[in-house]
Amino acid sequence: MIELNLMSELNLSFTTINEQELHDNFDAIFKKVQNGITFAIVSKGKVLCYLQPHVPKTQGKKTTKKASTKKGNAKTNLEK
């Protein structure tokens, strides 16, 4: 595995691994992803994809809104 820094001004870093390493060590790599490590999966010398932990955009905030209906025009599924 090779540690790389990508665009230091963006403070992005990841570990590159090839397809075989991912296949052979999936459980260990998956645990590292759960702990915050990002991997670049490389195939034939080119980055194929990134495997990284999910970080919600609105962490801790509710994003659902109540549906607005006009008074008297709303019908339920039972009324239709």
Side-chain angles (χ1 to χ4, degrees), residues 67-78:
S68 60
T69 59
K70 293 182 181 179
K71 209 171 194 177
N73 290 338
K75 292 186 178 182
T76 64
N77 287 336
L78 297 175

Side-chain angles (χ1 to χ4, degrees), residues 15-47:
T15 301
T16 60
I17 58 173
N18 63 35
E19 299 162 288
Q20 192 62 49
E21 286 177 293
L22 178 62
H23 181 269
D24 293 345
N25 304 303
F26 184 80
D27 290 339
I29 291 168
F30 188 76
K31 286 178 184 176
K32 288 181 180 183
V33 171
Q34 288 177 318
N35 289 320
I37 305 295
T38 298
F39 290 89
I41 312 304
V42 178
S43 177
K44 299 178 183 174
K46 295 183 180 181
V47 175

